[in-house]
Structure formats: structure tokens, C-alpha cells
Amino acid sequence: MHGKTRLALTKGRLEKDTVQLLEKSGLNTDILKNPKRKLILDIPGYPLEIILLKGSDVATYVEHGVADLGVVGKDILLENPKPVYEVADLGFGACRMAVAGPPAAAENGKKLLRVASKYPWIARNHFEAKGQSVEIIEQQGSVELAPLMGLSDVIVDIVETGNTLKANGLIIMEEILKISARLIVNKVSYKTRRVEMNALIDMMEKQAAEKGDLG
Ligand code: PRP
């Protein structure tokens, strides 16, 4: 078992809000604001070590107990479920999972719809539940390009501000679900480090709730 409690953070989209949450919780986050490309960061004055990862890897590290806790988007947890406890909705990172496409795609009524997505499971599940046959074309990024280039009819993707869709002449055709950042914990750590884990979970939940109250 590692020494300090270890928290895995998602780099990028959720990073700033998570650091802010930790700072408001009273932790010294200076090192997190300027990590200088370091991926393992010690929080001074608190028995906590932070590791920075891509979202899909956060859940994997927590699943294996290499990290005790993690902050990750609900989209990642739905697309690739892992045997971890989801203990809190942190509220930030709010966005929508949606079907989007060029305005003309709404009327094409195709029997077999071609859908580009970074979320193949969520996309297939959504359309199959409606009885729509789909060909899922898995993408790693820049998904909005697919219908513009004729690779797909529509996309299933996350929409935050809507700016990317707008800039590329695409519209939301259907909202699938709401997404936000979640706090996840390793099942074994939750028992063996109960005191430290609960202190950290309570602290983060409290700050998240206060932030939510302020809007
Ligand atoms: C995400 C998503 C959209 C965009 C939505 O991509 O896949 O492309 O952000 O955000 P918006 O509604 O605020 O414009 P990301 O920035 O993660 O990059 P990627 O395309 O490389 O995956």
C-alpha cells in the first residue's frame, strides 16, 4: 500500500475547477497551478499526493487502487464502466451528451444512420433503445468534422458552450443526458483508509455544494 492518500485528477477540461475546489478546501495548490509538466505532485501540509492523467486513465488507476480517489467526467464512467464507487457529483464540468449534425440530417430518415463518436457505447445504446439501426464510426477527437466531410450523418458528443458546433454549422438534434464531474473511490481504499478518505470526500463535497449554491 502506498503512503499518502493519492488522488487522480483529469487533465484539461476538469483540471482548473478541481484545483479551485481543492484550494477552497484549504489545501495549498500552488504546485498544481504550475506543475511544470510533473505528473506526481505532493500537497504540502496535507497527506495527499496528486497524479495527473487523461480521464479514461483516471478510472483505471482508481479501479486498480494505484490511486485511492479520482475526479472524472460522468461521460467516461458511462462509456467505460469500472468497479469503483461513485461517491459525489461535484457539479462542475457540466455539459450535455447530444446527437448533433447538419440541419439537413434531421430530415434524412435513413434506415442505417452513420454516427461518429468518441463514445461508441453511449451512441449505440442510445439509438438501439429507439430502434434505430446505426453504424458507429469511432473517433478520437475533432468529431464535428465527420459529418462535414461525409464520414457520418450525425455525431454523438459532449456539448459544453456549443461553440464548436456553431463554428462548424452543426445543430443539436437531441439531448441524451447531462454530464458533470464525479468523485470516484477505490473499493478497497474506501475500507482500509476510511478515515482519510472520508475526510477528503466530506471536504470536497462540502466545497462543491457551496460552489453550487453560489451558482
Ligand atoms: C470536446 C467535444 C467537442 C467540444 C465541445 O472536445 O468533443 O468537440 O469539446 O465543447 P464546446 O461545446 O464548448 O465547444 P475537446 O475539446 O475535448 O477536444 P477533441 O475534439 O480533441 O476531443
Side-chain angles (χ1 to χ4, degrees):
M1 191 163 84
H2 45 270
K4 292 184 172 188
T5 302
R6 194 175 288 152
L7 171 65
L9 299 195
T10 300
K11 286 198 287 186
R13 199 168 276 274
L14 300 180
E15 195 173 333
K16 206 169 141 220
D17 280 327
T18 314
V19 171
Q20 207 177 60
L21 187 82
L22 295 174
E23 187 174 13
K24 288 208 170 129
S25 303
L27 302 187
N28 180 338
T29 57
D30 292 350
I31 185 89
L32 294 173
K33 289 183 194 152
N34 187 15
K36 297 188 181 136
R37 305 199 73 82
K38 277 186 77 170
L39 301 171
I40 308 171
L41 306 159
D42 250 325
I43 298 294
Y46 198 94
L48 182 67
E49 186 175 78
I50 308 278
I51 55 174
L52 298 173
L53 295 160
K54 279 210 171 229
S56 46
D57 295 331
V58 166
T60 304
Y61 271 66
V62 173
E63 175 193 1
H64 290 275
V66 179
D68 304 296
L69 308 98
V71 175
V72 66
K74 181 69 179 174
D75 50 331
I76 307 264
L77 298 174
L78 285 170
E79 180 62 31
N80 198 1
K82 302 275 186 198
V84 296
Y85 293 135
E86 185 183 315
V87 293
D89 180 348
L90 298 173
F92 58 79
C95 53
R96 295 167 285 168
M97 181 71 66
V99 181
E107 291 108 48
N108 77 9
K110 277 192 166 182
K111 271 213 169 109
L112 181 70
L113 198 65
R114 294 171 307 152
V115 183
S117 187
K118 288 187 279 190
Y119 304 92
W121 187 87
I122 293 174
R124 181 174 298 285
N125 195 47
H126 171 69
F127 284 108
E128 284 187 354
K130 301 199 313 171
Q132 168 75 55
S133 302
V134 283
E135 179 194 349
I136 304 291
I137 304 163
E138 192 168 345
Q139 302 282 283
Q140 301 302 323
S142 302
V143 186
E144 292 81 0
L145 201 53
L148 300 179
M149 296 283 122
L151 179 65
S152 72
D153 301 304
V154 296
I155 63 172
V156 164
D157 201 11
I158 53 168
V159 181
E160 190 177 1
T161 61
N163 290 341
T164 313
L165 290 182
K166 200 169 166 201
N168 292 289
L170 305 177
I171 57 164
I172 292 182
M173 298 160 68
E174 207 181 344
E175 187 176 311
I176 301 178
L177 51 99
K178 293 194 191 312
I179 304 286
S180 56
R182 305 298 160 101
L183 183 59
I184 57 171
V185 301
N186 173 267
K187 290 185 171 182
V188 175
S189 301
Y190 199 48
K191 292 197 182 82
T192 55
R193 294 175 182 262
R194 185 173 280 275
V195 176
E196 305 95 298
M197 300 278 278
N198 277 336
L200 204 54
I201 293 166
D202 287 352
M203 191 167 87
M204 291 177 76
E205 263 188 317
K206 186 167 166 267
Q207 285 307 323
E210 280 179 19
K211 199 169 178 228
D213 288 346
L214 295 172

